[in-house]
Amino acid sequence: MYNKKEKLGNWFHIFFTIFLVINFSLFLFLSWKTLIGKAYSGESNLYTYPLILAGILTYLILKVFLQLSNGFIFSNHKTFTEFVFKKLSYLNYSAIIMFGANVVLSFILKDSKEVIYLSFILILLVNVIGWITLLRNHQKFIANNFFYFILYLCALEIAPWVILGSYLND
């Protein structure tokens, strides 16, 4: 993670991010099918995975673009690029957990709610550890730009989840 020259443009990182998008989409699809989708017909299952895949891909591209734009606007492109790279790296690490969960949910324990919940907790744990590490490593930068950090946190980290939650409740 730390010795790549062009961090976001590294081919391994790009392929690992594609692996993340595919696995996360499949994990959400299998979770949806197990927890919610039994009430729906089999015909709607045909279109669910491509919709989830397109939604996650669009969300990830928009989020990375907006985060890199913030770096350009606030003249801290290098710091924001490193920040985005490390956040994506921790998401990519959680893709390994998702892959294991997808294999278990597809072939071993089909429709297991326990596997879904355990995987979700592990994925959340990996990303929380990543966030804590990232915040600890950039304490000085955050302290110097605290107002911008709060704006960033509210606009790009919390707001998408609030919007998604309100959309799913309707």
Side-chain angles (χ1 to χ4, degrees), residues 12 16 19-21 23-24 27 88-104 119 122-123 126-127:
F12 180 74
F16 210 16
F19 178 73
L20 161 77
V21 170
N23 273 304
F24 191 48
F27 180 71
L88 275 175
S89 293
Y90 282 106
L91 275 174
N92 289 341
Y93 295 153
S94 63
I96 297 169
I97 296 169
M98 286 181 236
F99 178 71
N102 290 338
V103 168
V104 170
S119 301
L122 289 174
I123 291 164
V126 166
N127 288 302

Short mmCIF file of all heavy atoms in Angstrom, two decimals, residues 12 16 19-21 23-24 27 88-104 119 122-123 126-127:
data_model
loop_
_atom_site.label_atom_id
_atom_site.label_comp_id
_atom_site.label_asym_id
_atom_site.label_seq_id
_atom_site.Cartn_x
_atom_site.Cartn_y
_atom_site.Cartn_z
N PHE A 12 -2.79 -2.97 -10.34
CA PHE A 12 -3.22 -3.91 -9.31
C PHE A 12 -4.35 -3.30 -8.48
O PHE A 12 -5.34 -3.96 -8.18
CB PHE A 12 -2.05 -4.30 -8.40
CG PHE A 12 -2.44 -5.26 -7.32
CD1 PHE A 12 -2.67 -6.59 -7.62
CD2 PHE A 12 -2.59 -4.83 -6.01
CE1 PHE A 12 -3.05 -7.49 -6.63
CE2 PHE A 12 -2.96 -5.71 -5.02
CZ PHE A 12 -3.18 -7.04 -5.32
N PHE A 16 -8.12 -4.67 -8.30
CA PHE A 16 -8.63 -5.01 -6.98
C PHE A 16 -9.91 -4.23 -6.67
O PHE A 16 -10.82 -4.75 -6.03
CB PHE A 16 -7.56 -4.75 -5.93
CG PHE A 16 -7.64 -5.67 -4.73
CD1 PHE A 16 -8.35 -6.85 -4.74
CD2 PHE A 16 -6.97 -5.33 -3.58
CE1 PHE A 16 -8.40 -7.67 -3.65
CE2 PHE A 16 -7.01 -6.14 -2.47
CZ PHE A 16 -7.74 -7.32 -2.50
N PHE A 19 -12.61 -5.94 -8.53
CA PHE A 19 -12.93 -7.12 -7.73
C PHE A 19 -13.85 -6.74 -6.57
O PHE A 19 -14.82 -7.44 -6.26
CB PHE A 19 -11.62 -7.74 -7.22
CG PHE A 19 -11.77 -8.94 -6.34
CD1 PHE A 19 -12.15 -10.16 -6.87
CD2 PHE A 19 -11.50 -8.86 -4.98
CE1 PHE A 19 -12.27 -11.28 -6.06
CE2 PHE A 19 -11.60 -9.96 -4.16
CZ PHE A 19 -12.00 -11.17 -4.70
N LEU A 20 -13.59 -5.59 -5.94
CA LEU A 20 -14.42 -5.08 -4.85
C LEU A 20 -15.84 -4.82 -5.34
O LEU A 20 -16.81 -5.25 -4.70
CB LEU A 20 -13.83 -3.79 -4.27
CG LEU A 20 -14.79 -2.92 -3.46
CD1 LEU A 20 -14.99 -3.49 -2.08
CD2 LEU A 20 -14.30 -1.50 -3.40
N VAL A 21 -15.98 -4.13 -6.45
CA VAL A 21 -17.31 -3.77 -6.96
C VAL A 21 -18.11 -5.02 -7.28
O VAL A 21 -19.29 -5.13 -6.92
CB VAL A 21 -17.18 -2.85 -8.19
CG1 VAL A 21 -18.51 -2.66 -8.88
CG2 VAL A 21 -16.59 -1.50 -7.80
N ASN A 23 -17.67 -8.15 -6.08
CA ASN A 23 -17.96 -8.90 -4.86
C ASN A 23 -18.98 -8.19 -3.98
O ASN A 23 -19.84 -8.84 -3.39
CB ASN A 23 -16.68 -9.16 -4.07
CG ASN A 23 -16.01 -10.41 -4.53
OD1 ASN A 23 -16.61 -11.47 -4.54
ND2 ASN A 23 -14.77 -10.28 -4.93
N PHE A 24 -18.86 -6.87 -3.87
CA PHE A 24 -19.81 -6.14 -3.05
C PHE A 24 -21.21 -6.23 -3.65
O PHE A 24 -22.20 -6.39 -2.92
CB PHE A 24 -19.36 -4.69 -2.89
CG PHE A 24 -20.11 -3.91 -1.86
CD1 PHE A 24 -20.33 -4.42 -0.59
CD2 PHE A 24 -20.61 -2.66 -2.16
CE1 PHE A 24 -21.02 -3.70 0.36
CE2 PHE A 24 -21.30 -1.93 -1.21
CZ PHE A 24 -21.51 -2.45 0.06
N PHE A 27 -22.44 -9.71 -2.93
CA PHE A 27 -22.78 -9.84 -1.51
C PHE A 27 -24.11 -9.17 -1.21
O PHE A 27 -24.95 -9.72 -0.50
CB PHE A 27 -21.65 -9.26 -0.65
CG PHE A 27 -21.91 -9.36 0.82
CD1 PHE A 27 -21.87 -10.58 1.47
CD2 PHE A 27 -22.21 -8.22 1.56
CE1 PHE A 27 -22.12 -10.68 2.83
CE2 PHE A 27 -22.46 -8.30 2.90
CZ PHE A 27 -22.41 -9.53 3.55
N LEU A 88 -9.84 3.44 -0.25
CA LEU A 88 -10.17 2.38 -1.22
C LEU A 88 -9.42 1.09 -0.92
O LEU A 88 -9.94 0.01 -1.14
CB LEU A 88 -9.85 2.85 -2.64
CG LEU A 88 -10.92 3.65 -3.35
CD1 LEU A 88 -10.43 4.14 -4.70
CD2 LEU A 88 -12.19 2.84 -3.52
N SER A 89 -8.20 1.21 -0.42
CA SER A 89 -7.43 0.02 -0.07
C SER A 89 -8.09 -0.77 1.04
O SER A 89 -8.17 -2.00 0.98
CB SER A 89 -6.00 0.39 0.34
OG SER A 89 -5.31 0.92 -0.76
N TYR A 90 -8.59 -0.07 2.06
CA TYR A 90 -9.29 -0.78 3.12
C TYR A 90 -10.61 -1.37 2.63
O TYR A 90 -11.00 -2.47 3.05
CB TYR A 90 -9.51 0.13 4.33
CG TYR A 90 -8.25 0.29 5.15
CD1 TYR A 90 -7.52 1.46 5.12
CD2 TYR A 90 -7.78 -0.76 5.93
CE1 TYR A 90 -6.36 1.60 5.84
CE2 TYR A 90 -6.61 -0.64 6.65
CZ TYR A 90 -5.91 0.54 6.61
OH TYR A 90 -4.75 0.67 7.32
N LEU A 91 -11.28 -0.70 1.72
CA LEU A 91 -12.47 -1.29 1.10
C LEU A 91 -12.08 -2.53 0.30
O LEU A 91 -12.80 -3.54 0.31
CB LEU A 91 -13.16 -0.28 0.19
CG LEU A 91 -14.14 0.67 0.84
CD1 LEU A 91 -14.62 1.70 -0.17
CD2 LEU A 91 -15.31 -0.06 1.42
N ASN A 92 -10.94 -2.45 -0.38
CA ASN A 92 -10.47 -3.61 -1.14
C ASN A 92 -10.12 -4.77 -0.23
O ASN A 92 -10.33 -5.93 -0.59
CB ASN A 92 -9.27 -3.22 -2.01
CG ASN A 92 -9.66 -2.34 -3.16
OD1 ASN A 92 -10.81 -2.27 -3.55
ND2 ASN A 92 -8.69 -1.64 -3.71
N TYR A 93 -9.57 -4.48 0.94
CA TYR A 93 -9.30 -5.56 1.91
C TYR A 93 -10.59 -6.23 2.34
O TYR A 93 -10.64 -7.45 2.51
CB TYR A 93 -8.57 -5.03 3.14
CG TYR A 93 -7.18 -4.49 2.88
CD1 TYR A 93 -6.64 -3.52 3.69
CD2 TYR A 93 -6.42 -4.95 1.81
CE1 TYR A 93 -5.38 -3.00 3.46
CE2 TYR A 93 -5.15 -4.44 1.57
CZ TYR A 93 -4.64 -3.48 2.40
OH TYR A 93 -3.39 -2.97 2.18
N SER A 94 -11.62 -5.44 2.51
CA SER A 94 -12.90 -6.03 2.90
C SER A 94 -13.52 -6.84 1.76
O SER A 94 -14.39 -7.67 2.01
CB SER A 94 -13.87 -4.96 3.41
OG SER A 94 -14.17 -4.05 2.41
N ALA A 95 -13.06 -6.61 0.52
CA ALA A 95 -13.55 -7.42 -0.61
C ALA A 95 -13.14 -8.88 -0.45
O ALA A 95 -13.84 -9.77 -0.94
CB ALA A 95 -13.04 -6.85 -1.93
N ILE A 96 -12.02 -9.13 0.21
CA ILE A 96 -11.59 -10.50 0.45
C ILE A 96 -12.59 -11.19 1.38
O ILE A 96 -12.95 -12.35 1.17
CB ILE A 96 -10.16 -10.52 1.02
CG1 ILE A 96 -9.19 -9.93 -0.01
CG2 ILE A 96 -9.74 -11.92 1.42
CD1 ILE A 96 -7.81 -9.65 0.51
N ILE A 97 -13.05 -10.47 2.40
CA ILE A 97 -14.07 -11.02 3.30
C ILE A 97 -15.37 -11.26 2.54
O ILE A 97 -16.02 -12.31 2.69
CB ILE A 97 -14.30 -10.07 4.48
CG1 ILE A 97 -13.03 -9.97 5.32
CG2 ILE A 97 -15.47 -10.54 5.34
CD1 ILE A 97 -13.06 -8.88 6.36
N MET A 98 -15.73 -10.30 1.68
CA MET A 98 -16.95 -10.45 0.88
C MET A 98 -16.85 -11.66 -0.05
O MET A 98 -17.82 -12.38 -0.23
CB MET A 98 -17.21 -9.20 0.05
CG MET A 98 -17.71 -8.04 0.82
SD MET A 98 -18.01 -6.65 -0.26
CE MET A 98 -17.00 -5.43 0.52
N PHE A 99 -15.67 -11.87 -0.63
CA PHE A 99 -15.47 -13.01 -1.52
C PHE A 99 -15.69 -14.31 -0.76
O PHE A 99 -16.40 -15.21 -1.24
CB PHE A 99 -14.08 -12.98 -2.15
CG PHE A 99 -13.79 -14.15 -3.03
CD1 PHE A 99 -14.42 -14.27 -4.26
CD2 PHE A 99 -12.91 -15.13 -2.63
CE1 PHE A 99 -14.17 -15.36 -5.08
CE2 PHE A 99 -12.65 -16.22 -3.44
CZ PHE A 99 -13.28 -16.33 -4.67
N GLY A 100 -15.11 -14.41 0.44
CA GLY A 100 -15.32 -15.60 1.26
C GLY A 100 -16.78 -15.79 1.61
O GLY A 100 -17.31 -16.91 1.55
N ALA A 101 -17.46 -14.70 1.95
CA ALA A 101 -18.88 -14.78 2.28
C ALA A 101 -19.70 -15.20 1.06
O ALA A 101 -20.63 -15.99 1.17
CB ALA A 101 -19.37 -13.45 2.82
N ASN A 102 -19.33 -14.67 -0.11
CA ASN A 102 -20.05 -15.04 -1.33
C ASN A 102 -19.89 -16.51 -1.65
O ASN A 102 -20.84 -17.17 -2.07
CB ASN A 102 -19.58 -14.18 -2.50
CG ASN A 102 -20.01 -12.74 -2.37
OD1 ASN A 102 -20.96 -12.43 -1.67
ND2 ASN A 102 -19.30 -11.86 -3.04
N VAL A 103 -18.70 -17.04 -1.47
CA VAL A 103 -18.46 -18.47 -1.71
C VAL A 103 -19.30 -19.31 -0.75
O VAL A 103 -19.97 -20.27 -1.15
CB VAL A 103 -16.95 -18.80 -1.60
CG1 VAL A 103 -16.72 -20.30 -1.56
CG2 VAL A 103 -16.18 -18.18 -2.74
N VAL A 104 -19.28 -18.92 0.53
CA VAL A 104 -20.05 -19.67 1.53
C VAL A 104 -21.55 -19.56 1.25
O VAL A 104 -22.27 -20.56 1.30
CB VAL A 104 -19.71 -19.17 2.96
CG1 VAL A 104 -20.66 -19.74 3.98
CG2 VAL A 104 -18.28 -19.52 3.32
N SER A 119 -20.37 -11.59 8.27
CA SER A 119 -19.60 -10.93 7.21
C SER A 119 -19.75 -9.42 7.27
O SER A 119 -18.77 -8.68 7.13
CB SER A 119 -20.03 -11.43 5.84
OG SER A 119 -19.86 -12.81 5.75
N LEU A 122 -17.63 -8.14 10.11
CA LEU A 122 -16.20 -8.17 9.77
C LEU A 122 -15.84 -7.07 8.77
O LEU A 122 -14.79 -6.43 8.89
CB LEU A 122 -15.81 -9.54 9.21
CG LEU A 122 -15.77 -10.68 10.23
CD1 LEU A 122 -15.52 -12.00 9.51
CD2 LEU A 122 -14.72 -10.43 11.28
N ILE A 123 -16.69 -6.85 7.77
CA ILE A 123 -16.45 -5.80 6.78
C ILE A 123 -16.47 -4.44 7.46
O ILE A 123 -15.60 -3.60 7.21
CB ILE A 123 -17.51 -5.88 5.66
CG1 ILE A 123 -17.31 -7.12 4.82
CG2 ILE A 123 -17.49 -4.62 4.79
CD1 ILE A 123 -18.49 -7.48 3.95
N VAL A 126 -13.18 -4.03 9.52
CA VAL A 126 -12.02 -3.71 8.69
C VAL A 126 -12.04 -2.24 8.29
O VAL A 126 -11.03 -1.54 8.36
CB VAL A 126 -11.96 -4.62 7.44
CG1 VAL A 126 -10.99 -4.09 6.41
CG2 VAL A 126 -11.60 -6.03 7.83
N ASN A 127 -13.20 -1.74 7.91
CA ASN A 127 -13.29 -0.35 7.48
C ASN A 127 -13.18 0.64 8.64
O ASN A 127 -12.61 1.72 8.47
CB ASN A 127 -14.57 -0.12 6.67
CG ASN A 127 -14.46 -0.77 5.31
OD1 ASN A 127 -13.56 -0.46 4.55
ND2 ASN A 127 -15.35 -1.69 5.03
#
